[in-house]
């Protein structure tokens, strides 16, 4: 359900001729695409092609061997405040409870109390708020980590396997949050090997190859057909 937060500004980000090395191995080169406001890009490709490495490059966690990353930022030098990055690891302190973890992030991001309540409700965390993170199931850990996205609204989400470990109901909740981010004029780049039918019809699918990226025309046709039927 959409809240009353203001919509994100109309931003367009450019990624030009990116290349990535792993040791002496060239994972990919000549990767170019744009990310517009209100867009979901689903990044696909075979294992080992470098999808996670590309996302880490965009987040500034890996160097680029070649190319240019241009974030369309309304603030000078404010690139880091443009996006949230969620990687494979959940980055949870095992000794903290879920509530203490959320409180830490709330202080870190200077989140509003309403954002805290929204995160707890949206990801159904209330039943285990007092539980230390070390005792959480894999799905509960992932949902707790995902709460960071809601504690500090940012225009871009970079999500690496956000659905891993989640059951069917949790996948539906997270899919709804991603759809809401896009509806608020935000942007999402998603890597996921799990199916999320509600997102598949919204996404622009890009397939990563060692020599660049290609658009999944069949996925675009499915989206167009779905929109025409609506």
């Amino acid at each position: 359900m959409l809240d009353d937060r203001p919509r994100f500004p109309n931003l367009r980000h450019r990624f030009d001729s990116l290349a990535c090395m792993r040791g002496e191995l060239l994972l990919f080169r000549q990767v170019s695409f744009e990310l517009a406001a209100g867009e979901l890009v689903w990044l696909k490709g075979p294992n080992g092609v470098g999808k996670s490495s590309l996302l880490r490059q965009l987040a500034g966690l890996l160097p680029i061997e070649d190319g240019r990353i241009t974030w369309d930022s309304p603030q000078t030098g404010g690139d880091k405040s443009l996006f949230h990055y969620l990687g494979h690891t959940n980055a949870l302190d095992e000794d903290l409870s879920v509530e203490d973890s959320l409180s830490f992030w709330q202080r870190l991001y200077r989140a509003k109390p309403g954002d805290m309540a929204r995160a707890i409700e949206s990801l159904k965390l209330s039943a285990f708020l007092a539980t230390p993170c070390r005792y959480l199931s894999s799905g509960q850990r992932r949902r707790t980590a995902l709460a960071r996205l809601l504690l500090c609204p940012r225009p871009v989400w970079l999500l690496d396997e956000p659905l891993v470990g989640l059951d069917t109901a949790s996948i539906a909740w997270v899919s709804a949050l991603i759809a809401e981010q896009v509806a608020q004029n935000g942007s999402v780049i998603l890597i996921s090997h799990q199916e999320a039918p509600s997102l598949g019809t919204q996404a622009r699918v890009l397939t990563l190859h060692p020599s660049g990226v290609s658009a999944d025309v069949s996925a675009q046709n499915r989206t167009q057909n779905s929109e025409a039927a609506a």
Side-chain angles (χ1 to χ4, degrees), residues 40 55 58 109 216:
L40 167 61
L55 214 60
L58 300 184
Y109 294 134
D216 186 334

Side-chain angles (χ1 to χ4, degrees), residues 97-228:
S97 69
V98 171
E99 186 171 22
D100 288 340
S101 297
L102 296 179
S103 296
F104 170 77
W105 294 327
Q106 182 184 35
R107 294 191 299 272
L108 179 66
Y109 294 134
R110 298 178 181 175
K112 301 175 182 177
D115 292 327
M116 177 88 150
R118 176 173 175 261
I120 292 171
E121 170 59 27
S122 298
L123 290 159
K124 308 298 188 274
L125 306 179
S126 58
F128 49 90
L129 281 176
T131 304
C133 290
R134 70 171 64 254
Y135 299 122
L136 299 179
S137 69
S138 60
Q140 290 170 337
R141 286 171 179 265
R142 201 57 170 164
R143 282 154 56 193
T144 301
L146 284 160
R148 278 173 289 181
L149 304 177
L150 305 181
L151 288 174
C152 179
R154 290 180 176 177
V156 181
W157 290 357
L158 307 175
L159 306 180
D160 196 348
E161 299 291 353
L163 308 179
V164 68
L166 300 183
D167 58 21
T168 302
S170 298
I171 289 174
W173 300 333
V174 175
S175 296
L177 293 176
I178 293 173
E180 180 180 324
Q181 168 76 358
V182 173
Q184 291 291 123
N185 213 36
S187 307
V188 179
I189 300 180
L190 169 71
I191 298 172
S192 178
H193 288 91
Q194 292 175 262
E195 292 300 320
S198 64
L199 296 178
T201 59
Q202 304 178 49
R204 175 164 66 102
V205 177
L206 296 180
T207 301
L208 182 62
H209 307 282
S211 58
V213 291
S214 62
D216 186 334
V217 178
S218 63
Q220 291 176 346
N221 288 340
R222 288 195 300 272
T223 300
Q224 292 170 357
N225 292 339
S226 176
E227 291 173 347

Side-chain angles (χ1 to χ4, degrees), residues 10-47:
N10 289 320
L11 305 176
R12 181 173 290 273
H13 316 287
R14 293 181 55 88
F15 316 116
D16 298 301
S17 302
L18 299 182
C20 180
M21 299 283 294
R22 181 182 293 162
E24 299 298 318
L25 175 66
L26 178 66
L27 291 181
F28 56 77
R29 62 183 179 84
Q30 293 299 313
V31 169
S32 299
F33 64 100
E34 293 187 354
L35 178 66
E39 184 175 37
L40 167 61
V41 169
W42 197 322
L43 187 62
K44 297 192 175 186
N47 289 337

Side-chain angles (χ1 to χ4, degrees), residues 18-23 25 27-28 49-69 71 80 83 85 158 160 191:
L18 299 182
C20 180
M21 299 283 294
R22 181 182 293 162
L25 175 66
L27 291 181
F28 56 77
V49 76
K51 300 184 296 297
S52 294
S53 295
L54 174 58
L55 214 60
R56 286 173 61 80
Q57 283 185 327
L58 300 184
L61 300 174
L62 276 183
I64 56 174
E65 295 297 323
D66 197 10
R68 182 181 179 87
I69 296 173
W71 291 108
K80 294 293 184 182
F83 57 80
Y85 168 77
L158 307 175
D160 196 348
I191 298 172

